[in-house]
Amino acid sequence: MSELNWRENKLEKLCSPAIWAEGPVWLPYQQAIVFSDVKGNRMFRWSAEDGVSLFRASSNFANGNALDADGRIVSCEHGRRGISRTDAQGEVTLLVDRVDGKRFNSPNDVVVRSDGTIWFTDPPYGIINDEEGFKSESQVIGCYVYCFNPRTHALSIATSDVQRPNGLAFSPDESLLYVADMSIVDFPTLGRRELRVFPVEENRLGIGRFFAEVAPGIPDGFCIDEQGRIFCSCEDGVIIFNADGQRMGKIPVPERVSNCTFGGENGDELYITATTSLYRLRLDQQ
């Protein structure tokens, strides 16, 4: 495993246009980042060439975003309580918003596997009030991780072994799926503030296990590099774990972190959404 150095590099604040910045996704064909402002019901785009600009004025309270193999943005929408896809021309298509005829809670974060399947989490945070969606009663029994195949429209519950699933990411070989469980927010005595890991079995997940506790704060979004290292949000920064769950260190951030992703021409830049802002930190591999 290659050595990782981030301590000698300066964290850059790129822009601060958001109320609650979330869901950064790197667009390699544009050399740009698109990210959500969930509470502002909009999305922004940032590039070194153009700076920050409004990407979408009304986003249906979009949260997490991912990129599919064709370069289309796949988004979790709290407002429509579903998963949408944006093509290169900017046309937005709602892909799925129901399970067995019942509306999802409020899809939160999403990843696209190399086979094209879309995996997403569905906690209730977009329906408990009108700040991040529309207040509404839940129509499903629990909060699950789902797998959706956009080619066949097949939808399955991948696992119910999470109380409040949030961020998620595949291991480099896609044999494992890591899921953040932040249920301690709703269940202070019995809830979790941890990353869990599950073996991937086609369109479902096997038996999960504890991977790492995240503190201070809670685990929200995170990303995984080619070495299997996890960069996970917390209250005051980004915690780095190795593939064995051992804590390697922390990148301090002056705002509460919501999510992060890799980008840059060589994939060696970490883009971080934290409360109102988008940050960048260069990661040196040695």
Side-chain angles (χ1 to χ4, degrees), residues 8-282:
E8 297 177 4
N9 296 330
K10 181 181 178 181
L11 182 72
E12 305 172 75
K13 179 186 282 190
L14 302 176
C15 57
S16 297
I19 301 172
W20 178 242
E22 251 284 10
V25 59
W26 176 253
L27 311 182
Y29 51 91
Q30 297 183 21
Q31 292 291 293
I33 280 278
V34 165
F35 63 99
S36 301
D37 178 9
V38 185
K39 293 184 179 181
N41 191 22
R42 55 193 174 175
M43 297 171 74
F44 291 98
R45 177 187 182 275
W46 180 92
S47 72
E49 180 178 355
D50 303 321
V52 65
S53 60
L54 188 64
F55 178 78
R56 183 166 297 153
S58 181
S59 66
N60 293 305
F61 294 95
N63 192 327
N65 301 286
L67 210 64
D68 71 9
D70 295 317
R72 298 171 294 190
I73 299 174
V74 178
S75 301
C76 295
E77 295 186 4
H78 288 184
R80 292 195 288 181
R81 296 165 72 171
I83 302 297
S84 68
R85 185 173 62 199
T86 304
D87 64 20
Q89 289 71 45
E91 183 176 348
V92 183
T93 302
L94 185 64
L95 298 177
V96 61
D97 65 347
R98 297 171 190 270
V99 53
D100 295 332
K102 300 176 182 179
R103 300 187 73 183
F104 296 130
N105 293 315
S106 53
N108 187 283
D109 207 355
V110 60
V111 288
V112 181
R113 203 174 181 214
S114 60
D115 63 0
T117 52
I118 297 170
W119 301 66
F120 60 97
T121 57
D122 187 41
Y125 301 117
I127 59 173
I128 58 177
N129 55 49
D130 293 321
E131 290 186 359
E132 299 184 15
F134 303 107
K135 186 175 181 179
S136 181
E137 294 295 323
S138 175
Q139 296 184 10
V140 293
I141 296 174
C143 302
Y144 306 128
V145 178
Y146 291 92
C147 174
F148 175 69
N149 188 325
R151 293 189 301 272
T152 65
H153 301 284
L155 175 72
S156 60
I157 295 175
T159 185
S160 58
D161 181 22
V162 276
Q163 296 172 322
R164 291 293 185 268
N166 200 299
L168 71 173
F170 285 106
S171 62
D173 65 0
E174 298 185 333
S175 65
L176 301 171
L177 183 69
Y178 296 81
V179 182
D181 191 333
M182 50 180 283
S183 51
I184 194 170
V185 172
D186 298 315
F187 311 109
T189 57
L190 299 175
R192 299 165 174 165
R193 51 152 42 96
E194 67 188 42
L195 297 178
R196 299 184 63 75
V197 60
F198 300 83
V200 179
E201 301 173 356
E202 296 184 356
N203 63 341
R204 298 184 185 274
L205 300 175
I207 297 174
R209 61 177 174 84
F210 169 86
F211 179 76
E213 182 178 74
V214 176
I218 54 174
D220 197 333
F222 58 94
C223 58
I224 301 179
D225 70 8
E226 294 179 352
Q227 304 293 330
R229 292 174 292 226
I230 296 178
F231 294 70
C232 184
S233 59
C234 72
E235 182 69 29
D236 58 359
V238 176
I239 301 173
I240 304 174
F241 299 98
N242 67 16
D244 296 321
Q246 298 173 332
R247 182 165 165 162
M248 300 174 62
K250 182 197 289 185
I251 301 167
V253 179
E255 299 180 80
R256 177 185 165 190
V257 176
S258 63
N259 214 327
C260 55
T261 194
F262 301 108
E265 187 174 353
N266 300 312
D268 58 356
E269 297 171 351
L270 185 68
Y271 288 85
I272 303 166
T273 48
T275 311
T276 65
S277 307
L278 176 69
Y279 293 85
R280 176 175 63 183
L281 181 69
R282 183 174 178 84

